[in-house]
Each structure stands twice: as structure tokens, then as C-alpha cells.
Amino acid sequence: MSATASQAEFAELVATRRDLHAHPELAFAEHRTAALVAERLRSLGYEVRTGVGRTGVVGVLSGTAGGADRTGERRERTVLLRADMDALPIQEASEVAYRSTFPGAMHACGHDAHVAIGLGVARRLAASRGRWRGTVKLAFQPAEEGGNGAEAMIQDGVLEAPAVDAAFGLHVMNTLPTGTIAATPGAIMGAVDDFTIRITGKGGHAAMPHLAVDPVLAAAHVVTALQSLVSRGTDPFDHLVVSVTQIRAGDAFNVIPESAELRGTVRSMGGRTHDEAPERLTALASSVAGGLGCTAAVDYRRLTPATINDEAMTALVARLAGEVVGATHVLSGSRMLGGEDFAFFLQRIPGCFAWVGSANAVKGYDAPHHSPRFDIDEEAMLIGVELLERVALEYLR
Ligand SMILES: [Zn+2]
Ligand SMILES: [Zn+2]
């Protein structure tokens, strides 16, 4: 590709990303984004389905290399590439020209870049259609941020007709410098569980605690005791996080309330630690509260499973990532306990979720994800396009 062509391509990636950045839409409300995506895909010749998983968009394109249909030779493969589209309920604090124009919403995780990358790959694959065979399915997904939009798309048939053989996705990553790619085999991101613990005692006068049963004291002990699940109850080489993030109790300084409520999240990488977490947390909360004369009712929910990369698909991505950024800039041990609903695709079909470094401290792009000052080094988008295009074509080859 000529320098001018790649400059034009980069300019389009930036323009698309900045347009989306200025118009961020929250989970399952990505209407403008979905319309933009559908329109672009149609203009590139993709067969487009909208409303997949409520606001999701799917673009399907088959390669035409070799001319006439060769069905019967061998079943040709279908590869799914996924880009999430949703923004976060955050007020943007940056003063950049392309800052959010929608109050209270912001692309603070980089999903605007994912959509731009997805459309960039769509353009390249459409242009090279005569040189490859098989089918590419581009899934522009709603509601990654806590809404499990991936599951909604799967329920609406994104993995069928044609059946998908492998799935790939990426996330721009501000913990890694631009020019690095992480492709880690196995469990890379955490299972997300959430819990509510309602502790009930007996309300009364703050000055006469002996006539009441104090749920606030019990709640405080439960918060402390829950950390022992990690520090004393889990193999130090295993992964577990328990975070109590909300405490609600009482309406007055001089009243012992009737009850107290704790909310929080448990993160793990699957396996026994994951399987046993609900039972262990419930037993501990109940016994600690019980020892202080209270009862604990625990509501424990599984939200998203661990993201587990297939070994062979990850090796494929790592090899191609080396072609894009150089083998020494490909990382193979990057993990975190944040959740990612690409996990739902990986539960059903082999694939790999890669991280594309997007931090550039010199340019000032190093704010963490979900920060009101989040921004990325846009050069990372070209790397993302290069990677996903190569992965799709190599898988289909
Ligand atoms: Zn996020
Ligand atoms: Zn994200």
C-alpha cells in the first residue's frame, strides 16, 4: 500500500473514531453508532443485519477468490471479528476538540476506537475480496460494559447462519505502550460475580445498644472477614479478588438501624476458586453475622465468565502480531481480573482476545480506562486494523 493510501486510511480511522467519541452512546442505546456502522458496511458491499442483540449490527462478506462457488471441495470457514460499541456513564473531563457532546456519557474505555478499527478492517477485506475465500462476520456489539451484549447477540443467532468457526477481538489498552500487542493463552480476564448481603439485627436507641442488635457492627465485621477468603482461604498461586464497594445502613446518628446492606464484586479466573466462591462467601457472612446476633441474606449472581483464550488461536494471533509490531513487542503473559463479555463467544467457539497497546505517556495518552480523562494514542488503531485483517485472512486461508 502506498504511503498516501495509508495516510488516507489513517485519516479515516481518526475521523471515524473522533466522530464516535463526540457522540458516545450508553449500553443498548447505541442507535446513532449502529446506524453509522450499518450504513458504512452496506456501502462496502456487506450483507447487513441490524437489531442483533437489540442494538448490535452484523456485517457478512464472503471472499470470491477462485471465481465460481467451490462448495463440496471442503466446507469453507467463517471467522467472526468483534468490536464493542458502547460508552460509559462518565462526564468527560478532557478539553479535546472531539470531546463528548452528550452530557454524562463518554467513550472512556476505547470502544470508539474498536468500532473505527472494525470498519477499517471491513474496508480492507472488501477491497481484497477477490483474493480470499470463506466468510467474514463482523459483529458490532452493544453493551459490553456490564450489559453482556455479547450474550444478547449470541441469543439472537450471531454465531449461526453461517456457523462461526473462530472468533477474534481486541481491546486497546492504556496499560501497554503503543507498538505492543498482548496475546496471552488461557484465562486472561476475570469472571465477574456480584453480591448483596443484607444483614438484619434489631433496631433501637443508639444509647441503649444492649436492647438492640446492631447490624452496622456486624456489617463492619463481615467486610473485614470477607478479605480472609482471599488471604487465608485461597491458594496464593490462585487468583481471587473480593471488593465490598457499597455500604448502606441507617438514617439517623442516634438510631441503631434494623438492617445494613453490603454490595460488592468477586473476581476470579475460573476453576475451583470460582466454583466455590458463592458458598464460601455466604457461609462466612452468615456465620460472622450470626455470631453477633444478626442474620445475613446473601444474593450472589454470576455476571460474566472468565475470558479464556484458545491456545492454538492465541498462537496464531501472537505470530501475526509479531509481523505487525515485531516479535519482541508481543507479550504473552498479560492478564487482569477486569471482566470482558467476549468471554461468552470464547465459551462456545475457539478464539483469542488480544490487547493492543494504546498508551503514549509522551503525548499524554496514559490515563487509565474509565477515567474522565481517558484518551488513546490513535496510532494504535492502524496496528489493530493490521492485526485483525491478518488474523482473519490467515484463519480463512
Ligand atoms: Zn471498560
Ligand atoms: Zn472496554
Side-chain angles (χ1 to χ4, degrees):
M1 182 173 290
S2 74
T4 340
S6 69
Q7 273 162 16
E9 182 182 33
F10 182 61
E12 179 170 315
L13 286 171
V14 169
T16 302
R17 184 252 164 174
R18 292 185 178 187
D19 175 44
L20 295 168
H21 194 88
H23 304 96
E25 296 172 303
L26 301 181
F28 291 124
E30 308 90 339
H31 303 290
R32 181 186 181 279
T33 309
L36 180 149
V37 167
E39 192 270 318
R40 293 271 187 96
L41 291 175
R42 280 196 191 99
S43 74
L44 291 169
Y46 282 74
E47 176 204 322
V48 175
R49 290 174 218 160
T50 56
V52 183
R54 292 163 67 180
T55 40
V57 181
V58 180
V60 181
L61 190 76
S62 294
T64 55
D69 186 49
R70 294 187 303 192
T71 41
E73 267 182 46
R74 72 176 168 94
R75 193 182 83 76
E76 287 185 347
R77 287 173 161 181
T78 296
V79 64
L80 179 139
L81 304 179
R82 175 272 217 165
D84 44 8
M85 305 190 289
D86 56 321
L88 284 153
I90 293 172
Q91 182 65 42
E92 183 155 12
S94 302
E95 294 297 322
V96 291
Y98 49 90
R99 67 185 172 274
S100 171
T101 57
F102 294 169
M106 178 190 173
H107 270 295
C109 202
H111 300 183
D112 48 351
H114 300 167
V115 174
I117 291 168
L119 291 172
V121 174
R123 176 178 294 285
R124 283 196 183 188
L125 292 174
S128 66
R129 186 182 190 182
R131 299 197 294 277
W132 53 272
R133 293 195 66 86
T135 300
V136 172
K137 201 181 264 193
L138 301 176
F140 290 86
Q141 184 208 299
E144 192 285 322
E145 300 284 359
N148 283 347
E151 199 178 26
M153 289 194 90
I154 291 168
Q155 279 162 4
D156 271 1
V158 73
L159 296 180
E160 292 137 39
V164 172
D165 300 298
F168 298 93
L170 59 75
H171 207 301
V172 292
M173 198 54 70
N174 265 17
T175 53
L176 303 174
T178 305
T180 57
I181 295 174
T184 304
I188 58 156
M189 296 183 76
V192 181
D193 302 343
D194 101 296
F195 63 82
T196 303
I197 305 172
R198 190 168 185 82
I199 296 166
T200 305
K202 201 173 106 192
H205 199 294
M208 290 172 269
H210 60 296
L211 300 179
V213 178
D214 185 359
V216 175
L217 180 69
H221 278 281
V222 169
V223 171
T224 310
L226 286 179
Q227 291 313 314
S228 73
L229 291 177
V230 180
S231 63
R232 303 289 86 181
T234 302
D235 182 334
F237 292 97
D238 212 343
H239 308 281
L240 185 70
V241 169
V242 179
S243 289
V244 176
T245 51
Q246 293 177 286
I247 303 180
R248 290 209 178 87
D251 297 301
F253 87 100
N254 55 357
V255 176
I256 291 172
E258 191 80 6
S259 66
E261 195 175 275
L262 305 175
R263 284 201 69 194
T265 184
V266 174
R267 306 295 174 100
S268 61
M269 286 293 203
R272 215 176 108 191
T273 301
H274 173 75
D275 295 342
E276 293 176 351
E279 197 185 319
R280 289 174 60 208
L281 181 139
T282 303
L284 188 60
S286 301
S287 54
V288 170
L292 295 165
C294 297
T295 57
V298 179
D299 179 20
Y300 194 102
R301 294 187 309 149
R302 305 282 201 192
L303 291 187
T304 310
T307 304
I308 301 172
N309 278 340
D310 178 85
E311 303 268 341
M313 296 299 117
T314 305
L316 176 109
V317 171
R319 177 165 60 80
L320 298 169
E323 291 178 11
V324 179
V325 293
T328 53
H329 295 115
V330 180
L331 311 171
S332 61
S334 301
R335 299 181 180 86
M336 71 163 84
L337 282 168
E340 167 56 61
D341 74 355
F342 193 74
F344 287 104
F345 294 118
L346 294 176
Q347 269 188 332
R348 289 162 180 83
I349 42 173
C352 175
F353 190 67
W355 297 346
V356 173
S358 54
N360 188 327
V362 176
K363 292 191 201 165
Y365 302 128
D366 56 354
H369 291 256
H370 296 203
S371 150
R373 298 189 182 281
F374 179 79
D375 204 348
I376 60 157
D377 181 356
E378 290 172 323
E379 304 277 342
M381 292 193 288
L382 261 185
I383 294 173
V385 170
E386 274 295 332
L387 180 68
L388 284 185
E389 182 200 26
R390 280 168 196 254
V391 166
L393 293 178
E394 181 68 12
Y395 181 77
L396 293 175
R397 202 162 64 87

